[in-house]
C-alpha cells in the first residue's frame, strides 16, 4: 500500500466523506488544502453525457473568466503586414507566416494559444496534425480565426479559456490559482460551468452534466452538486 506524507494525509482526511458540495463550499475546501510551496492551479473537470465520436455531440467553446486564470498566456499569431503589426501592438508573443509554420514543423511550439487571420489558414492548415492534438489549431468557432487580431490577443491574455470535450466526454480546465480570493475563484468556477452548460450540443441525450470535480494541482478532489452548480 502506498504511503502518503503528512500533508497529503491531512488533505485527504479534510475531504473524507464530503461530496456534492456547493461551488462556494467546494472552492473553500480545495483552496484550504492547496498547501504546496508553489501557487497551485485550481482545476475543474466535468464528465458529460456525450459521445464525442459523433459530430452532433461534440462540446467546444470559449469563456472569459471574470477574474482571469492567473496564468501568463503565450500567444502566437499567424498574420502578415498591418495585421502582424496589430498583433505585436496587442502583445502577441510570436508572430509570423511561413517562417512560423516551419518553426512549428521543426518542433518549436512555445505558445499556449494560436490565432490566425483567415487568409493565413492555407498555411496553418498544414499544421493540423501537429496543432490539432494539442488543441492549438485556430478555429473560427472559438474566435481564433479572425480579422480582429487585437481583440483575440487581448482576450487570450486577459483570461479567456477554451474548452473541448475529450474522449470519454470529459471537459477540464484551470480556473484560477490557490492564491485567488475564494469569492473570485467561485465566480470563475460558476462562469466555466455556465459556459459548458450553454454549449450543450443538439445530439446530447439524457443527463448532460453527470459529474463535476474540483481540485488543486497537488490536492485531493471534491465533487460538486451538479444541479446546484449549474443554477448558482
Amino acid at each position: 500500500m502506498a504511503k502518503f506524507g503528512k500533508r497529503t494525509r491531512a488533505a485527504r482526511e479534510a475531504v473524507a466523506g464530503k461530496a456534492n458540495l456547493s461551488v462556494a463550499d467546494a472552492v473553500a475546501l480545495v483552496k484550504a488544502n492547496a498547501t504546496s510551496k508553489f501557487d497551485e492551479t485550481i482545476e475543474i473537470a466535468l464528465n458529460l453525457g456525450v459521445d464525442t465520436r459523433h459530430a452532433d455531440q461534440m462540446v467546444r467553446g470559449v469563456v472569459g473568466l471574470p477574474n482571469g486564470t492567473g496564468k501568463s498566456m503565450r500567444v502566437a499569431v499567424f498574420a502578415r503586414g498591418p495585421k502582424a503589426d496589430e498583433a505585436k501592438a496587442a502583445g502577441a508573443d510570436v508572430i509570423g507566416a511561413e517562417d512560423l509554420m516551419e518553426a512549428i514543423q521543426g518542433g518549436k511550439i512555445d505558445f499556449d494559444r494560436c490565432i490566425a487571420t483567415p487568409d493565413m489558414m492555407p498555411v496553418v492548415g498544414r499544421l493540423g496534425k501537429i496543432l490539432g492534438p494539442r488543441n492549438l489549431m485556430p478555429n473560427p468557432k472559438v474566435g481564433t480565426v479572425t480579422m480582429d487580431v487585437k481583440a483575440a490577443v487581448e482576450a487570450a491574455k486577459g483570461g479567456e479559456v477554451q474548452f473541448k470535450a475529450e474522449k470519454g466526454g470529459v471537459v477540464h480546465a484551470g480556473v484560477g490559482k490557490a492564491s485567488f480570493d475564494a469569492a473570485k475563484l467561485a465566480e470563475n468556477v460558476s462562469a466555466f460551468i455556465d459556459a459548458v452548460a450553454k454549449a450543450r450540443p443538439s445530439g446530447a441525450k439524457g443527463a448532460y452534466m453527470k459529474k463535476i470535480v474540483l481540485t488543486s494541482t497537488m490536492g485531493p478532489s471534491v465533487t460538486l452538486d451538479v444541479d446546484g452548480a449549474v443554477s448558482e
Side-chain angles (χ1 to χ4, degrees):
M1 182 179 293
K3 293 184 178 180
F4 299 104
K6 183 177 180 181
R7 186 193 67 82
T8 301
R9 290 198 305 272
R12 285 172 172 261
E13 290 171 1
V15 304
K18 297 178 181 178
N20 300 322
L21 304 176
S22 67
V23 169
D25 288 345
V27 164
L29 190 56
V30 169
K31 180 176 166 67
N33 283 293
T35 56
S36 296
K37 293 182 179 180
F38 65 94
D39 194 5
E40 297 183 45
T41 297
I42 304 301
E43 303 171 1
I44 190 169
L46 298 88
N47 185 4
L48 307 178
V50 297
D51 185 345
T52 56
R53 293 175 298 179
H54 301 286
D56 66 348
Q57 294 189 48
M58 175 53 69
V59 177
R60 185 170 193 164
V62 62
V63 56
L65 298 181
N67 302 295
T69 64
K71 177 183 177 181
S72 178
M73 183 70 70
R74 298 168 300 169
V75 179
V77 177
F78 279 89
R80 292 191 178 98
K83 288 299 174 180
D85 295 336
E86 184 179 322
K88 182 177 181 180
D93 301 277
V94 184
I95 305 163
E98 284 81 4
D99 57 332
L100 179 53
M101 177 193 71
E102 292 171 0
I104 293 171
Q105 289 175 329
K108 188 176 182 180
I109 305 176
D110 53 354
F111 52 86
D112 308 297
R113 180 74 55 84
C114 188
I115 296 165
T117 53
D119 61 295
M120 291 301 303
M121 287 311 292
V123 174
V124 181
R126 304 178 205 174
L127 301 170
K129 291 183 178 180
I130 300 174
L131 298 181
R134 295 173 170 81
N135 199 27
L136 289 172
M137 192 68 180
N139 190 311
K141 292 183 179 179
V142 294
T144 49
V145 177
T146 177
M147 288 300 290
D148 194 349
V149 173
K150 179 177 183 293
V153 172
E154 290 178 346
K157 291 282 189 179
E160 185 180 74
V161 173
Q162 293 182 6
F163 59 86
K164 179 182 179 181
E166 300 176 349
K167 186 177 180 180
V170 176
V171 170
H172 65 85
V175 290
K177 293 290 186 177
S179 59
F180 281 21
D181 177 77
K184 291 184 177 181
L185 276 174
E187 287 178 359
N188 279 1
V189 170
S190 294
F192 188 84
I193 293 172
D194 185 53
V196 176
K198 291 178 179 177
R200 176 172 181 150
S202 59
K205 307 297 182 182
Y208 175 51
M209 288 195 180
K210 299 168 68 175
K211 186 177 183 180
I212 304 175
V213 176
L214 198 69
T215 186
S216 64
T217 305
M218 301 297 290
S221 62
V222 296
T223 57
L224 279 68
D225 173 32
V226 173
D227 293 333
V230 173
S231 61
E232 285 183 30

